[in-house]
Amino acid sequence: MFGYTGKILRVNLTDGTFKTEPLDHEMAKKFIGGRGLGTKMMMDEVDPKVDPLSPENKLFVVTGPMTGNPVATGGRYMVVTKSPLSNTIASSNSGGKWGAELKFAGWDIIAFEGKSAEPVYLSIEDDKVELLSAADIWGTTVSSTTKKLGEKHVDGAKVLAIGPGGENLSHIAAIMNDEDRAAGRSGVGAVMGSKNLKAIVVKGSGKPDVPDQDRIKELNKTQLAKIKENGVTGEGLPTYGTAVLVNILNELGSLPTNNFLEAQFDKADETSGETLADKYLTKRTACYRCPIGCGRYVKVGDWEGGGPEYETLWSFGADCGISDMESIIMANHWCNEMGIDTISAGATIAAAIELHQKGYIKDDELDGLKLEFGNGTDITEWVKRMGYAQGLGAKMAEGSYRLADGYGVPEFSMTVKKLEMPAYDPRGIMGIGLNYATSNRGGCHVRGYTISPEVLGLPEQLDRFETSSKPTWVKIFQDLTASIDSLGVCLFTSFALGADDYADMYNVIAGTDLTGNDILAIGDRIYNIEKQFNLLAGVTSAEDTLPKRLLEDPIPEGPSKGWVNKLDEMLGEYYKERGWGEDGIPTEAKLKELGL
């Protein structure tokens, strides 16, 4: 098949050996690549009940058939493992340029097994593979690691690394590449750290084979036109980045504020994409072959670097009641340096503030630092303490659920399956609440981004408070997203492209003849095998729910005042849409239909 290199690199960290395996092309046809193929390999090779931080867990770094190929945003890769945060399947997506470089070096997948006795990093230069000592970079920040390895290896090599957060096994640790791009959620960085694996340096000299250059050029012309003509991908994201959403959600009364106690932030504009662009932006940045360019490069004082996304502006902003943009920018920077997820970090600080406000966390636990809604003085220091596992920061590094549960009030944690929810209050947007509850990795928006139709009106405008149609929409978005994540392209393209477009993309690159319905069916298969993994891991459908606060405590003020999420009106119908039983378990007939 075109689009793939046909090679898997298997690395046994325990004995320091490597072997090359052929890609199973029949399996690739059923699961595409990326998220789907990685999950299938986890299911085949790893006991779902495995301790996520034990040597028996595996870590798969998986490209898609579009990764490194000449299509719009063809630079994504996935990290697939078992999550130490949620005990679910973890598949975290990242962009930048590292994923494409891995494909240029001739590899579809790297499979890590076991645990090294000492800190190491992996070096790949095409077929030359080495495990080298990481003794001199263990304990260093992500930018320092990236710089040192960049100087040590061939010019143009790309670096993926963990920071101190991953080394210290923080359950919210990320895997970083190109310094500020993150496979951010589910604690995948802790799995890498548990294996004493600090980094992967890669340089490739090849390019994937494609069947027909002329067809690819024609496809790109058509799809790039759709992306440029779309209001979100052609104007909103390039101009303001993802942070364009801050004011939009706030005006709807669905911007979670003060740990979801409220849903509107009176100082939201001070943390908006418009303010970021006006006062701090120095340039736009883009991932490999990306025509959108939603990345932000910003400057604060003498420091200049990657700027915060919408979710980060929210988590350290409205969710903590903080309007100081410079504090938020630097908190984002130190999350990147520590290698921890910005959504979980900010949301955990928000939960800690409420715990302190209500007397559960005592003053003597703060070591003289501030922990107050609206006070951004010490949020950067809290990020560092999470990364280095110091004092109260060590508890916070486990995520908000374990933090709040440790004080006897787990309901203060705004999580689903122990994964912190992002910047959309599901009391004011019904479908995203159903997506959070049923997401196979927990409280995640990018598993089924119904904000697109419920807020942005793409592909059509839905009533955000209506519930009857949402089970159908959520399933479609979840299935499509599973295939997009597996192809190796950016989810943001889905604002402008549909299932038929992704089928066209796959067909011209891989030489297949899929339809849009085939793309959705593959996504359905991926979603079901993820669900199977979770059930075998002991994560039952009883966890397909939302925090009590969002089901029982109405939004107190604003345009969404009086609403709670009506999950009970949607969940049963969602299970029917999926062909699952009333217990939320896939039926034998459904699994047979999907070839599982």
Side-chain angles (χ1 to χ4, degrees), residues 71-91:
V71 296
T73 75
R76 313 296 295 192
Y77 73 94
M78 302 291 298
V79 177
V80 184
T81 185
K82 185 180 179 184
S83 167
L85 182 66
S86 61
N87 282 312
T88 65
I89 190 73
S91 48

Side-chain angles (χ1 to χ4, degrees), residues 272-382:
S272 68
E274 292 85 342
T275 298
L276 189 73
D278 183 52
K279 295 184 177 180
Y280 302 98
L281 184 68
T282 58
K283 64 179 179 180
R284 291 166 51 197
T285 61
C287 300
Y288 177 77
R289 292 194 67 91
C290 179
I292 301 170
C294 72
R296 310 286 95 179
Y297 214 72
V298 298
K299 184 177 177 63
V300 174
D302 294 331
W303 176 86
E304 189 171 4
E309 304 280 356
Y310 164 65
E311 309 293 341
T312 310
L313 287 168
W314 160 78
S315 67
F316 290 110
D319 201 35
C320 293
I322 293 169
S323 60
D324 178 2
M325 180 69 89
E326 294 191 5
S327 292
I328 296 169
I329 289 171
M330 296 314 296
N332 174 74
H333 166 62
W334 279 101
C335 279
N336 292 341
E337 290 285 60
M338 294 293 103
I340 56 177
D341 173 33
T342 60
I343 296 176
S344 285
T348 298
I349 291 174
I353 293 173
E354 185 176 357
L355 287 164
H356 179 240
Q357 181 188 67
K358 294 181 177 175
Y360 294 96
I361 293 177
K362 307 301 182 183
D363 287 345
D364 60 8
E365 296 181 73
L366 304 185
D367 293 330
L369 299 180
K370 299 293 185 183
L371 198 56
E372 303 166 341
F373 286 124
N375 191 332
T377 304
D378 293 323
I379 57 168
T380 295
E381 182 60 30
W382 284 118

Side-chain angles (χ1 to χ4, degrees), residues 433-445:
L434 177 60
N435 173 64
Y436 288 162
T438 57
S439 165
N440 286 325
R441 72 170 183 181
C444 175
H445 59 303

Side-chain angles (χ1 to χ4, degrees), residues 304 398 460 471:
E304 189 171 4
E398 302 298 291
E460 63 182 80

Side-chain angles (χ1 to χ4, degrees), residues 83-87 171-172 186 344 398-399 402 418-420:
S83 167
L85 182 66
S86 61
N87 282 312
H171 285 37
I172 60 173
S186 304
S344 285
E398 302 298 291
R402 289 173 177 81
K418 300 182 180 66
L419 179 67
E420 285 72 19

